[in-house]
Amino acid sequence: MRLLVQITAYLLPLFWASQVASADNQIIIETQQTALVIRVDKDADPTMVYLGKRLQQPTEYGLLTGNGKRGEDYTKIYNSVYTPAGGRNLLEPAIQVTHADGNPSLDLKYVRHEKSDLADGIVLTKVYLKDPQYPFEVTLFYKAYQKEDVIEQWSSIRHTEKKPVRMQKYASANLYLPAQSYYLTHFHGDWAQEMKPEEIQLSAGLKVLDTKLGTRADLFQAPSFLLALNKPADEETGEVLAGTLAWSGNYQLQFEVDPLRNLRLISGINPYASEYTLAPNKEFVTPAFLFTYSASGTGTASRNMHRWARKHRIPQGEGNRLTLLNNWEATFFDFNEEKLTTLFKDGKKLGVDLFLLDDGWFGNKYPRNNDRTSLGDWQENKQKLPHGLGYLIKEAESAGIRFGIWLEPEMVSPKSELYEKHPDWVIKLPNRAEYYFRNQLVLDLSNPKVQDFVYSIVDDMLTKNPTLGYIKWDCNAVIYNAFSATNANQSHLYIDYVQGLYKVLERLRTKYPTLPLMLCSGGGGRVDYGALKYFTEFWPSDNTDGLERVFIQWDYSYFYPAIATCNHITDWGKQPIKFRTDVAMMGKMGYDIVVGKLDEKELSFSQEALKTYSRVKEVIWKGDLFRLVAPYKNNLASLMYVSEKQDKAVWFSYLVSNRYQEGSQAPIRLKGLNPAKKYKVQELNVYPGTNSRINQNPAVLSGDYLMTVGFNPVVDARRTSVVLELTETN
């Protein structure tokens, strides 16, 4: 009898939950490994009841109760899928509006939902919501990439009220996650200190990550995070959500541990100084919030993001990239045609694909001989380049390499012809003193005339020089004294600026679909998947010190693939050229050095390294990344890229501490290999005049052995960087 009572006590709640769920409208959004479940109750309130590992039996989603609620939810909408303000909500809202009649409340009820297959493995779910008292609608979009286990979420807002509606907040996503504890890793920094990770345990209340810089928005805080549930996650274990907002302007990420100890995550455009007036019958579309869930650590999450980005977001993400030689550290602003044509020959001798001419090539009334003039005057400087860019392009091609150019088309120097002719094109307050960031101001891309001007800069250059092979697009200033001389709604400026930038880039990408474009912003001040819809690659940091780059590139790799990460060998830092080259090889490699100053061994090493890179780059760019030893907790950093077929791998290891006798004192266990295959282990990038003990007697070991026992790359003070290649063999 006692057993019967116990069984009944266990089964009754399950029976009740299934009965409730079957009566409700349940929306299931799935990838191969992840599920997000929305339930609509009898009052038509849509709530999120699950986000986590996909269940094998879909019918069991109906057994879910109120998403882990551990007490009384006074409002019944703590876990709303898109929390409205002004009604019965007591927590942070996802959307806040004031209707045309002045009513500051909003209530969003479920209307319907629909699913459609957009392509192989991509399913779009639309959830339609409406206020029962006002003709105000919100549509939630969930694009599920099945194979990559990534969900892209955004919202669309529209109304047919008689007059405009004022929107104070308009998030892209509103997630709800139950756990015992939450560990947030966010990434902050400054110029040359990008992507510094910091992990904190979230406590009751609200944690906000945001930016108010307007442009160069990532300078202090990246719009990306890792969120571990219940306990801190590592590479292979733990539940983790990796998220990032695809927006190149002011953003806001909010993490609220509610009174029931569940976590509410709200992501979107920062509402700071950005109340948006939405006219009747107009649609406002928020940027996409991208996230992936992993039940097996951060490694799986980052590999999901990499596959998604290569296949679905970054232009030519599964294509080729050009190695290049940049002139900046060789000449700075001091160059002429003779110097440049000599550098073309150096580039060819080195073995790169392209020469990139950096800052200083433009301006005549105000020559660009320093960083205080000429931005906006994009004509060749006649004194430095009397024959124009066309001549340089032909000379480079005659030398056997392609030619690329640096631009900063969103900015203007106060000392420029453009500023003198069009002061109304500049973002500045009319009654305040001008305040400069790096001696420059920002052009008002909310103005369609400015958009046309910026587009024409690039289009005219490419029309005149159709074989121009590359553009580095820089953005060095933030927005001070935000005011537009032409925008009727000043509170729209921050949003309209980014949308104006995207309009320009969309036009350029449509006309020049295969043009390589580098996204740069004084280093890594603008790295996000909103901009990377148009750019083939990005510049992570102006800090190219080899040791610093181990850390910077490590943290970018959680969200961005190697094929999009530009890594240059420069004279920054004290590491030998082998170390700097090995670090740069973990992505899209380039050079910013004076080739003529390399000694015989350095030049020979660099030439061979480029040949090696050409042979193994496909594995690095398109392989799966496995982090083996983290530099933050060890004296080593070690990671490897494994090809999709698991027949090849490239393994990088670095000494990051110079303490006495530090190094790889024991074998490192590898990951991602096929345990049944055998692999030959050989060392790459061996410096001239040195011998590799590994190559003297190459090991042939099974994937099982390498992942169970491991292999010692022999990193120490004499071998501070080691690159190994694993190749399947019989």
Side-chain angles (χ1 to χ4, degrees):
M1 184 65 179
R2 185 177 179 182
L3 179 61
L4 179 61
V5 170
Q6 289 176 332
I7 294 173
T8 303
Y10 174 75
L11 292 177
L12 274 178
L14 295 181
F15 174 78
W16 177 84
S18 64
Q19 290 298 102
V20 171
S22 64
D24 291 342
N25 195 337
Q26 193 150 266
I27 306 165
I28 302 171
I29 298 156
E30 291 181 312
T31 66
Q32 287 184 348
Q33 302 295 329
T34 304
L36 187 157
V37 181
I38 297 169
R39 185 175 296 156
V40 183
D41 67 17
K42 58 183 177 56
D43 296 319
D45 289 323
T47 58
M48 183 173 161
V49 296
Y50 186 75
L51 173 57
K53 187 176 180 180
R54 177 175 176 168
L55 300 181
Q56 295 182 8
Q57 300 297 326
T59 56
E60 293 186 336
Y61 292 121
L63 303 179
L64 297 167
T65 53
N67 195 26
K69 291 183 179 178
R70 292 176 279 246
E72 184 176 0
D73 174 354
Y74 304 107
T75 68
K76 308 301 182 187
I77 57 170
Y78 280 4
N79 59 331
S80 169
V81 294
Y82 201 67
T83 312
R88 69 180 192 267
N89 173 50
L90 299 176
L91 303 176
E92 191 66 23
I95 182 169
Q96 181 178 8
V97 306
T98 300
H99 295 282
D101 64 2
N103 190 319
S105 68
L106 185 65
D107 193 11
L108 294 173
K109 299 294 186 179
Y110 170 82
V111 178
R112 71 183 193 281
H113 72 277
E114 57 188 45
K115 287 192 176 185
S116 57
D117 293 327
L118 301 185
D120 181 30
I122 305 177
V123 179
L124 178 64
T125 302
K126 299 180 184 179
V127 181
Y128 296 89
L129 311 176
K130 184 182 181 301
D131 190 310
Q133 300 298 326
Y134 290 88
F136 188 97
E137 302 172 356
V138 173
T139 304
L140 303 179
F141 296 81
Y142 301 85
K143 186 185 288 187
Y145 298 85
Q146 309 294 300
K147 299 175 184 177
E148 294 78 22
D149 286 312
V150 169
I151 296 176
E152 181 179 3
Q153 182 180 352
W154 70 97
S155 59
S156 167
I157 305 166
R158 64 166 59 244
H159 70 91
T160 56
E161 299 186 28
K162 294 181 180 180
K163 294 181 180 180
V165 168
R166 291 162 44 216
M167 301 198 303
Q168 288 87 29
K169 192 174 182 182
Y170 27 84
S172 299
N174 185 174
L175 304 181
Y176 198 71
L177 299 156
Q180 296 299 317
S181 53
Y182 311 92
Y183 298 86
L184 173 67
T185 302
H186 61 103
F187 302 85
H188 59 89
D190 203 336
W191 178 79
Q193 302 177 73
E194 290 86 351
M195 291 297 285
K196 286 189 171 183
E198 183 172 338
E199 185 177 65
I200 59 172
Q201 183 174 355
L202 295 174
S203 58
L206 191 64
K207 170 70 175 178
V208 179
L209 308 176
D210 74 349
T211 183
K212 304 178 182 71
L213 305 180
T215 57
R216 202 175 174 185
D218 302 359
L219 180 62
F220 301 141
Q221 189 83 231
S224 307
F225 65 87
L226 301 170
L227 179 68
L229 306 178
N230 298 309
K231 63 178 183 179
D234 59 25
E235 279 296 303
E236 295 183 275
T237 63
E239 289 184 87
V240 64
L241 185 84
T244 187
L245 186 70
W247 181 247
S248 305
N250 293 347
Y251 67 85
Q252 186 179 77
L253 305 172
Q254 297 179 305
F255 304 85
E256 183 176 25
V257 178
D258 72 14
L260 301 181
R261 306 297 295 177
N262 295 322
L263 180 67
R264 306 175 69 253
L265 195 168
I266 299 174
S267 170
I269 294 173
N270 195 336
Y272 164 78
S274 297
E275 179 175 281
Y276 204 89
T277 304
L278 186 63
N281 293 304
K282 296 293 184 180
E283 182 183 31
F284 185 91
V285 179
T286 68
F289 174 64
L290 299 151
F291 63 93
T292 182
Y293 167 85
S294 165
S296 53
T298 54
T300 298
S302 61
R303 288 187 288 276
N304 291 346
M305 293 295 287
H306 296 171
R307 294 190 196 104
W308 171 83
R310 289 194 300 263
K311 186 171 183 178
H312 300 289
R313 179 52 54 103
I314 297 172
Q316 295 96 58
E318 296 180 313
N320 191 32
R321 295 292 185 270
L322 302 173
T323 56
L324 62 84
L325 173 65
N326 193 332
N327 73 297
W328 182 245
E329 292 199 13
T331 67
F332 295 100
F333 291 102
D334 182 20
F335 57 81
N336 55 31
E337 288 179 345
E338 184 178 357
K339 281 187 179 180
L340 294 178
T341 53
T342 300
L343 293 177
F344 299 162
K345 297 173 184 177
D346 285 346
K348 180 61 177 177
K349 180 170 66 175
L350 184 62
V352 298
D353 303 313
L354 178 138
F355 177 85
L356 173 63
L357 176 59
D358 214 291
D359 197 356
W361 58 269
F362 52 93
N364 286 297
K365 181 178 180 180
Y366 304 107
R368 181 72 167 179
N369 296 321
N370 54 58
D371 67 355
R372 295 186 293 275
T373 71
S374 315
L375 290 175
D377 301 343
W378 301 104
Q379 313 89 23
E380 297 98 320
N381 179 276
K382 295 178 181 178
Q383 184 174 358
K384 294 181 182 179
L385 309 178
H387 298 97
L389 290 178
Y391 168 79
L392 292 178
I393 293 170
K394 290 180 181 178
E395 287 295 302
E397 291 171 347
S398 296
I401 59 175
R402 301 185 70 183
F403 183 88
I405 195 90
W406 175 94
L407 285 171
E408 194 174 0
E410 299 168 65
M411 306 300 161
V412 63
S413 299
K415 193 174 182 179
S416 66
E417 292 184 83
L418 179 66
Y419 186 81
E420 292 171 348
K421 293 177 182 177
H422 298 287
D424 59 321
W425 283 11
V426 179
I427 294 176
K428 61 173 185 172
L429 284 163
N431 60 348
R432 303 288 183 188
E434 292 179 358
Y435 194 75
Y436 307 127
F437 195 101
R438 287 187 56 165
N439 306 304
Q440 58 197 62
L441 294 166
V442 181
L443 290 174
D444 181 8
L445 277 172
S446 75
N447 184 342
K449 291 182 179 179
V450 177
Q451 295 170 24
D452 290 340
F453 169 75
V454 173
Y455 171 79
S456 69
I457 292 167
V458 184
D459 184 50
D460 290 350
M461 185 179 291
L462 289 165
T463 300
K464 293 175 183 175
N465 307 287
T467 60
L468 183 71
Y470 189 92
I471 290 177
K472 177 183 176 181
W473 183 299
D474 214 339
C475 168
N476 283 304
V478 302
I479 293 179
Y480 289 131
N481 297 334
F483 182 86
S484 167
T486 57
N487 199 317
N489 294 285
Q490 292 302 319
S491 64
H492 291 195
L493 176 58
Y494 283 124
I495 296 170
D496 290 351
Y497 181 93
V498 179
Q499 291 177 341
L501 171 65
Y502 290 166
K503 288 178 183 177
V504 172
L505 294 171
E506 186 69 38
R507 290 172 67 185
L508 288 171
R509 203 30 102 191
T510 299
K511 188 171 182 180
Y512 306 101
T514 61
L515 177 70
L517 285 172
M518 180 203 286
L519 175 64
C520 183
S521 189
R526 180 192 276 170
V527 183
D528 64 85
Y529 280 119
L532 284 171
K533 179 181 178 181
Y534 308 104
F535 290 84
T536 52
E537 53 220 61
F538 70 90
W539 183 237
S541 178
D542 284 344
N543 187 342
T544 52
D545 178 295
L547 181 58
E548 294 287 341
R549 270 302 188 106
V550 170
F551 292 84
I552 292 171
Q553 293 168 203
W554 183 279
D555 292 303
Y556 273 114
S557 75
Y558 285 111
F559 307 97
Y560 303 100
I563 193 171
T565 309
C566 294
N567 307 328
H568 289 185
I569 298 104
T570 75
D571 288 330
W572 275 49
K574 300 178 181 180
Q575 300 81 31
I577 195 168
K578 171 176 164 51
F579 189 103
R580 287 174 276 144
T581 301
D582 292 350
V583 173
M585 194 176 280
M586 297 188 300
K588 189 261 185 183
M589 192 164 75
Y591 289 82
D592 197 335
I593 57 176
V594 183
V595 177
K597 292 184 179 180
L598 297 177
D599 63 32
E600 183 179 350
K601 288 184 177 180
E602 289 174 332
L603 178 60
S604 175
F605 169 80
S606 299
Q607 291 169 330
E608 287 303 312
L610 275 165
K611 294 176 184 177
T612 299
Y613 181 67
S614 180
R615 181 173 61 79
V616 302
K617 64 186 181 183
E618 291 288 313
V619 178
I620 299 168
W621 290 350
K622 302 168 189 177
D624 283 332
L625 170 62
F626 294 88
R627 303 178 196 86
L628 307 175
V629 181
Y632 293 99
K633 298 179 180 179
N634 302 276
N635 58 65
L636 290 177
S638 188
L639 55 83
M640 67 186 300
Y641 300 88
V642 181
S643 66
E644 184 177 0
K645 296 180 180 179
Q646 297 176 301
D647 59 340
K648 297 178 182 178
V650 183
W651 176 16
F652 299 89
S653 298
Y654 307 98
L655 184 68
V656 296
S657 169
N658 59 4
R659 296 294 302 275
Y660 179 65
Q661 288 191 341
E662 294 287 12
S664 58
Q665 297 174 351
I668 296 173
R669 292 179 180 177
L670 306 189
K671 301 174 186 176
L673 302 175
N674 186 325
K677 290 184 177 181
K678 288 190 174 182
Y679 297 90
K680 183 178 181 180
V681 182
Q682 290 184 294
E683 185 170 354
L684 306 178
N685 291 358
V686 179
Y687 197 75
T690 63
N691 295 316
S692 168
R693 285 174 287 173
I694 294 172
N695 287 352
Q696 288 174 355
N697 186 23
V700 177
L701 300 166
S702 70
D704 176 55
Y705 182 93
L706 290 166
M707 292 189 292
T708 304
V709 178
F711 186 87
N712 191 339
V714 194
V715 177
D716 55 35
R718 293 167 296 179
R719 289 165 51 84
T720 56
S721 66
V722 176
V723 184
L724 300 178
E725 181 181 24
L726 282 68
T727 308
E728 181 184 358
T729 187
N730 295 325

